[in-house]
Amino acid sequence: MEDWNSFLLPYEQAVDELKVKFRGLRPQFAIDNDQTPIEFVTGRVKPVESIQEKLVRRHIAEDRIEQDLQDIAGVRIMTQFVDDIYQVVDILRKRTDMTILEERDYVTNAKPSGYRSYHIVIEYPVQMVTGEKKILAEIQVRTMAMNFWATIEHSLNYKYDGVFTPELSERLERAADAAFKLDQEMSEIRAEIHDAAAQRDKEA
Amino acid sequence: MEDWNSFLLPYEQAVDELKVKFRGLRPQFAIDNDQTPIEFVTGRVKPVESIQEKLVRRHIAEDRIEQDLQDIAGVRIMTQFVDDIYQVVDILRKRTDMTILEERDYVTNAKPSGYRSYHIVIEYPVQMVTGEKKILAEIQVRTMAMNFWATIEHSLNYKYDGVFTPELSERLERAADAAFKLDQEMSEIRAEIHDAAAQRDKEA
Amino acid sequence: MEDWNSFLLPYEQAVDELKVKFRGLRPQFAIDNDQTPIEFVTGRVKPVESIQEKLVRRHIAEDRIEQDLQDIAGVRIMTQFVDDIYQVVDILRKRTDMTILEERDYVTNAKPSGYRSYHIVIEYPVQMVTGEKKILAEIQVRTMAMNFWATIEHSLNYKYDGVFTPELSERLERAADAAFKLDQEMSEIRAEIHDAAAQRDKEA
Amino acid sequence: MEDWNSFLLPYEQAVDELKVKFRGLRPQFAIDNDQTPIEFVTGRVKPVESIQEKLVRRHIAEDRIEQDLQDIAGVRIMTQFVDDIYQVVDILRKRTDMTILEERDYVTNAKPSGYRSYHIVIEYPVQMVTGEKKILAEIQVRTMAMNFWATIEHSLNYKYDGVFTPELSERLERAADAAFKLDQEMSEIRAEIHDAAAQRDKEA
């Protein structure tokens, strides 16, 4: 790649736009006094070294980057509850400013590592000075508990690359299960409170 | 209007998105070492009191706001040189994420007050939780000198509403002319320097 | 209170400044290739209705607000690990741009509800047009897991005020314990990986 | 310099903090319905190449950078009127979060090039992870008209380095004078309107 700065510009633009777009959904729920399913939104462009490392690891030729690397532009939406993830996904499916190419539900079907998130690959048109350019971007939707686990797992992997014994990997996987059980417990508590409130309102 | 907060949400969203989109054009010029025609970008949603005042002044019924008020969402693009204005307009015309409904060239044909700017009214689709909503927005493109004059004229008008004697209005108009002459002088200086540089490069 | 907007201005300013200051610590760790103890930072000014409700609930006179309400300006720092909380607190203690008035360690000693966080009350000088004004602000330092629980607990409390049966409160408290156990498990996993890496480096 | 990223961190932090601090002054004027003297605020850290070029040009040793380069961190405050510049300077003098080391009034005494601005060199304490670090920063206060001229002059100088004939420099200087006359004309118009409004209020 001759000029990474130039290559990454439309991806940076896409991340900036998508962050503003998804954050802008929050106040729309507040208006109707509804609980927003979106707790917070983050985004990043994959660092050049990580792109290069992935090209090598996956045997991807440089002229195939745009089609084969789907997560150069990445945006993450965090929710409070597991159900909120699917509500967010439904909202994303209705949008006309992007095209969904692929959905992978690692919430219901966790990865072997224990990782959970809902992944959506989109095609997103960025308006450049020279005209429209369509790029791929990955949207990850996850609960705060899934994000807690994934953040720590990623930073351990990054810092201690290569010293994960099978036993440690297993412990991390069990921690992911515990985080998910916590998610389910919080959902149940919400459901019970919701029912109690409905009961109270009926009796009033 | 029952609920202004709710009514203004898509306009606020549009302003946030358009600011990110137009600011994102700047680094694209820097990449090619070109002078960027965009110096800075600002945006605002018209305050409720100003909307109400305009409805009364223009005899617009409340159910006609969306169609008849074109500047509830407003974005301003400032350039260094007069020519840059038209370059920006050309770039805007190529975009596929908005539809231009109307263009008014107050740069070549100043308003009687002396005001100069290039106005573009667009239809812009905002993705709401409930689906796409098309709103109108106004984009003003002007040089920094035009912006200097317009900012001061607006703040004097706002603070000293109704005490503009014809003589004062005339002085302000002459100041606008002087600002425009300054714009033209700067353009000429740039042209001369450009020619001198070209001449030097040819001789080298 | 005659004018809440005016009263809240220095608090808004303090929150804006503290967010920029604490976020600015992150890249300093990255430079030395150290794990940053600060995962993300949020901030808010307490809404007027919440202030008024708290004044009534705690029998605080309006002329005592500035001294008696310590959390009108609130900033939250989220960490990956429990130990990071204490590292952040140490860094805050060294700062010369604020004075720590009080520390409350709800990490080691959870509240009866199950809530965990480290609270620091500071006096922070804001430079107003009219001169320096010292205000109180509350900084909460917590892990992402503590934040996960506290965010959900707060939003359930807010939406379903008054329908918490003792049994539901107990379930929430047990969930807080589970979140804390998860925090401890993650810390242990990190410690083991750290030791394994040290061992490997020694053998190399 | 071994590590520019690390060296520039406190300067970047200072610029971020000063922008938030100066922008935060604007709403304080709005509260009292006063005209704000601050129209907008920008900031930047000097690019590494510009620092290196300046070191060579001014024969500054690398170990003298911190003391001898006063504009590595730069913040610019734009006003509507010339008088506003001095009001802003007065407000800055009262601040206790920075120490003014030097003031240079290029507003009254323009540089030979025609450049006008009020320059203030401050010592500003940044709180690093390792403790407080005092750095130098330069604040430039200027009207929008001065900024218009300076922006264009700088970009022409940058793009056409070395082809300024004496005649072109003279033309640029005359343009700076014209911009300043425009500033004075706007001030006079404001004064007259102010008097007319006062007269009207007296008669009412």
Side-chain angles (χ1 to χ4, degrees):
Chain A
M1 184 65 54
E2 294 163 55
D3 184 354
W4 282 103
N5 281 343
S6 169
F7 174 75
L8 292 177
L9 265 184
Y11 295 93
E12 280 158 11
Q13 185 58 28
V15 169
D16 286 344
E17 294 183 13
L18 292 170
K19 280 195 296 183
V20 165
K21 287 179 170 186
F22 296 158
R23 282 175 183 155
L25 296 171
R26 277 177 54 85
Q28 296 179 37
F29 292 97
I31 286 281
D32 295 327
N33 228 341
D34 281 344
Q35 201 68 40
T36 167
I38 297 177
E39 188 59 29
F40 62 99
V41 177
T42 62
R44 68 98 189 88
V45 171
K46 207 179 186 67
V48 172
E49 314 78 59
S50 308
I51 295 177
Q52 290 172 320
E53 183 270 326
K54 196 165 184 175
L55 291 181
V56 172
R57 180 159 43 86
R58 298 222 176 155
H59 307 292
I60 298 172
E62 266 207 359
D63 62 340
R64 295 283 309 165
I65 296 187
E66 292 188 21
Q67 304 93 302
D68 290 3
L69 278 203
Q70 304 177 323
D71 66 344
I72 297 177
V75 177
R76 208 167 272 160
I77 300 175
M78 261 59 72
T79 70
Q80 285 188 19
F81 297 100
V82 178
D83 289 353
D84 296 342
I85 295 176
Y86 296 98
Q87 188 185 349
V88 169
V89 170
D90 274 341
I91 290 168
L92 295 181
R93 284 185 191 134
K94 273 188 286 188
R95 297 185 73 100
T96 60
D97 58 346
M98 54 187 66
T99 309
I100 295 182
L101 298 187
E102 203 180 320
E103 298 189 16
R104 268 166 283 155
D105 183 350
Y106 299 123
V107 173
T108 311
N109 308 298
K111 287 193 182 182
S113 65
Y115 175 84
R116 286 182 203 265
S117 274
Y118 199 101
H119 287 200
I120 296 174
V121 178
I122 62 167
E123 187 179 69
Y124 182 76
V126 180
Q127 308 295 320
M128 306 297 284
V129 168
T130 49
E132 183 183 288
K133 175 160 182 59
K134 288 193 170 118
I135 60 131
L136 301 184
E138 186 180 84
I139 304 169
Q140 302 177 345
V141 194
R142 45 168 85 159
T143 64
M144 297 173 80
M146 294 170 190
N147 189 52
F148 151 75
W149 182 88
T151 302
I152 290 182
E153 197 261 358
H154 181 266
S155 77
L156 290 178
N157 248 317
Y158 182 82
K159 197 171 159 84
Y160 300 107
D161 182 31
V163 287
F164 274 83
T165 60
E167 196 230 349
L168 277 169
S169 297
E170 218 172 274
R171 268 184 89 167
L172 258 178
E173 198 193 321
R174 280 201 305 272
D177 287 344
F180 191 56
K181 287 223 177 66
L182 208 47
D183 263 338
Q184 292 174 311
E185 172 71 7
M186 293 311 247
S187 292
E188 282 174 34
I189 293 174
R190 175 168 73 160
E192 276 206 28
I193 296 179
H194 181 79
D195 290 351
Q199 187 65 26
R200 182 198 54 179
D201 293 350
K202 227 169 70 184
E203 291 168 8
Chain B
M1 184 67 53
E2 292 164 56
D3 184 353
W4 281 103
N5 281 344
S6 169
F7 174 76
L8 292 178
L9 264 185
Y11 295 94
E12 281 159 9
Q13 186 58 27
V15 168
D16 285 346
E17 293 182 14
L18 291 171
K19 279 194 296 183
V20 165
K21 286 178 169 186
F22 296 156
R23 282 175 183 154
L25 296 171
R26 278 176 54 84
Q28 297 179 35
F29 292 96
I31 286 281
D32 295 327
N33 229 341
D34 281 345
Q35 201 68 40
T36 168
I38 297 177
E39 188 59 30
F40 61 99
V41 177
T42 63
R44 64 100 189 90
V45 171
K46 205 179 187 66
V48 173
E49 316 77 57
S50 308
I51 296 177
Q52 290 172 321
E53 182 270 326
K54 196 165 182 176
L55 291 181
V56 171
R57 181 158 43 86
R58 298 222 177 155
H59 307 291
I60 298 172
E62 266 207 359
D63 62 342
R64 295 283 308 165
I65 296 187
E66 291 187 21
Q67 304 94 302
D68 290 2
L69 279 202
Q70 303 176 324
D71 66 343
I72 296 176
V75 178
R76 207 167 273 161
I77 300 175
M78 260 61 70
T79 70
Q80 286 187 19
F81 297 100
V82 178
D83 288 353
D84 297 342
I85 295 175
Y86 296 99
Q87 189 186 350
V88 169
V89 170
D90 273 342
I91 291 168
L92 295 180
R93 285 186 190 132
K94 273 189 284 188
R95 297 185 73 101
T96 60
D97 58 346
M98 54 187 67
T99 309
I100 295 183
L101 298 186
E102 203 179 320
E103 299 189 17
R104 269 166 281 156
D105 183 350
Y106 298 124
V107 173
T108 310
N109 308 298
K111 287 194 181 180
S113 65
Y115 175 86
R116 286 181 203 267
S117 274
Y118 199 102
H119 287 200
I120 295 175
V121 178
I122 61 167
E123 186 179 70
Y124 183 78
V126 180
Q127 308 295 321
M128 307 296 286
V129 168
T130 48
E132 183 183 289
K133 174 160 182 59
K134 287 192 170 120
I135 59 131
L136 300 185
E138 186 179 84
I139 304 169
Q140 302 178 346
V141 194
R142 45 167 86 158
T143 63
M144 297 173 81
M146 294 171 190
N147 188 51
F148 151 75
W149 182 89
T151 302
I152 290 182
E153 198 260 358
H154 181 268
S155 78
L156 290 179
N157 248 317
Y158 182 82
K159 196 171 160 85
Y160 300 108
D161 181 30
V163 287
F164 276 84
T165 60
E167 197 231 347
L168 278 170
S169 297
E170 218 172 276
R171 269 184 87 167
L172 259 177
E173 198 193 321
R174 281 200 305 271
D177 286 345
F180 191 54
K181 288 223 177 67
L182 208 46
D183 263 339
Q184 292 173 311
E185 172 71 7
M186 293 310 246
S187 291
E188 282 174 35
I189 294 173
R190 174 167 73 161
E192 275 205 31
I193 296 179
H194 182 79
D195 290 350
Q199 187 65 27
R200 183 198 54 179
D201 293 350
K202 227 170 67 185
E203 290 168 8
Chain C
M1 184 66 54
E2 293 163 56
D3 184 353
W4 282 103
N5 281 343
S6 169
F7 174 76
L8 292 177
L9 264 186
Y11 295 94
E12 281 158 11
Q13 185 58 28
V15 168
D16 285 344
E17 293 183 14
L18 291 170
K19 280 195 295 184
V20 166
K21 287 178 169 186
F22 296 157
R23 282 174 184 157
L25 296 171
R26 278 177 53 87
Q28 297 178 36
F29 292 96
I31 285 280
D32 295 327
N33 228 340
D34 282 344
Q35 200 68 40
T36 168
I38 297 177
E39 188 59 29
F40 62 98
V41 177
T42 63
R44 65 98 189 90
V45 170
K46 207 179 185 67
V48 172
E49 316 76 60
S50 307
I51 295 177
Q52 289 171 321
E53 183 269 326
K54 197 166 183 176
L55 291 181
V56 171
R57 182 160 42 86
R58 297 223 177 153
H59 307 292
I60 297 172
E62 266 207 0
D63 62 342
R64 294 284 308 166
I65 296 186
E66 292 187 21
Q67 303 95 300
D68 290 3
L69 279 204
Q70 304 177 323
D71 66 343
I72 296 177
V75 178
R76 207 167 273 161
I77 299 175
M78 261 60 72
T79 71
Q80 287 188 20
F81 297 100
V82 178
D83 288 352
D84 297 343
I85 295 176
Y86 296 98
Q87 187 185 351
V88 169
V89 170
D90 274 341
I91 290 168
L92 295 180
R93 284 184 190 134
K94 273 191 285 189
R95 297 184 72 99
T96 60
D97 59 345
M98 54 186 65
T99 309
I100 295 183
L101 299 185
E102 205 178 318
E103 298 188 18
R104 267 167 282 156
D105 182 350
Y106 298 124
V107 173
T108 311
N109 308 298
K111 287 193 181 183
S113 65
Y115 175 84
R116 286 182 203 265
S117 273
Y118 199 101
H119 288 200
I120 295 175
V121 179
I122 61 167
E123 187 180 70
Y124 183 75
V126 180
Q127 308 295 320
M128 306 296 285
V129 168
T130 49
E132 183 183 289
K133 175 161 182 59
K134 287 192 171 119
I135 59 130
L136 301 184
E138 187 179 84
I139 304 169
Q140 302 178 347
V141 194
R142 43 169 85 157
T143 63
M144 296 173 81
M146 295 171 188
N147 188 52
F148 152 74
W149 183 88
T151 301
I152 290 182
E153 197 261 358
H154 181 268
S155 78
L156 290 178
N157 248 316
Y158 182 84
K159 196 170 160 88
Y160 300 108
D161 182 30
V163 286
F164 274 83
T165 60
E167 197 230 348
L168 277 169
S169 297
E170 220 172 275
R171 268 184 89 168
L172 258 177
E173 198 192 321
R174 280 200 305 270
D177 286 345
F180 192 56
K181 287 223 178 67
L182 208 47
D183 263 338
Q184 291 174 313
E185 173 70 7
M186 293 309 245
S187 291
E188 281 174 35
I189 293 172
R190 174 168 72 159
E192 276 205 31
I193 296 178
H194 182 79
D195 290 351
Q199 187 66 26
R200 182 197 55 178
D201 293 350
K202 228 169 69 186
E203 290 167 8
Chain D
M1 183 69 53
E2 294 163 55
D3 184 352
W4 281 103
N5 281 344
S6 170
F7 174 75
L8 291 178
L9 264 186
Y11 294 94
E12 280 158 10
Q13 185 59 27
V15 168
D16 285 345
E17 293 183 12
L18 291 171
K19 280 194 295 184
V20 165
K21 287 179 170 186
F22 296 156
R23 281 175 183 155
L25 297 171
R26 276 177 55 85
Q28 297 179 35
F29 292 95
I31 286 282
D32 296 326
N33 228 340
D34 282 344
Q35 200 68 40
T36 169
I38 297 176
E39 188 60 28
F40 61 98
V41 177
T42 63
R44 65 98 189 91
V45 170
K46 206 179 187 66
V48 173
E49 315 77 59
S50 308
I51 295 177
Q52 290 171 320
E53 183 270 325
K54 196 166 183 175
L55 291 181
V56 172
R57 181 160 42 86
R58 298 222 177 156
H59 307 292
I60 297 173
E62 266 207 359
D63 62 341
R64 295 285 308 168
I65 296 187
E66 292 188 21
Q67 303 94 301
D68 290 2
L69 278 203
Q70 303 178 324
D71 66 343
I72 296 176
V75 177
R76 207 167 273 162
I77 300 174
M78 263 57 74
T79 70
Q80 287 188 18
F81 298 100
V82 179
D83 289 353
D84 296 343
I85 295 176
Y86 295 98
Q87 188 186 350
V88 169
V89 170
D90 274 342
I91 290 167
L92 295 180
R93 284 186 190 133
K94 273 189 286 189
R95 297 185 73 100
T96 60
D97 58 346
M98 54 186 66
T99 308
I100 295 183
L101 299 185
E102 204 180 319
E103 299 189 16
R104 268 167 281 156
D105 182 350
Y106 298 124
V107 174
T108 310
N109 309 298
K111 287 193 182 182
S113 65
Y115 176 84
R116 286 180 203 267
S117 272
Y118 198 101
H119 287 200
I120 295 175
V121 178
I122 61 167
E123 186 179 71
Y124 183 77
V126 179
Q127 308 294 321
M128 306 296 285
V129 168
T130 49
E132 183 184 288
K133 174 160 181 59
K134 287 194 171 117
I135 59 130
L136 300 185
E138 186 180 84
I139 304 169
Q140 302 178 346
V141 194
R142 44 168 86 159
T143 64
M144 298 173 80
M146 295 171 190
N147 189 52
F148 151 73
W149 182 88
T151 302
I152 290 182
E153 198 261 357
H154 180 267
S155 78
L156 290 179
N157 248 316
Y158 182 83
K159 197 171 160 85
Y160 300 108
D161 182 29
V163 287
F164 275 85
T165 60
E167 196 229 345
L168 277 169
S169 297
E170 220 171 276
R171 269 184 88 168
L172 259 178
E173 198 194 322
R174 280 200 305 271
D177 287 343
F180 191 55
K181 286 222 179 67
L182 208 46
D183 263 339
Q184 291 174 312
E185 173 70 8
M186 293 310 245
S187 291
E188 281 174 36
I189 293 173
R190 174 167 73 162
E192 274 204 32
I193 295 178
H194 182 79
D195 290 350
Q199 186 65 26
R200 182 196 56 179
D201 293 350
K202 226 169 71 185
E203 290 169 8

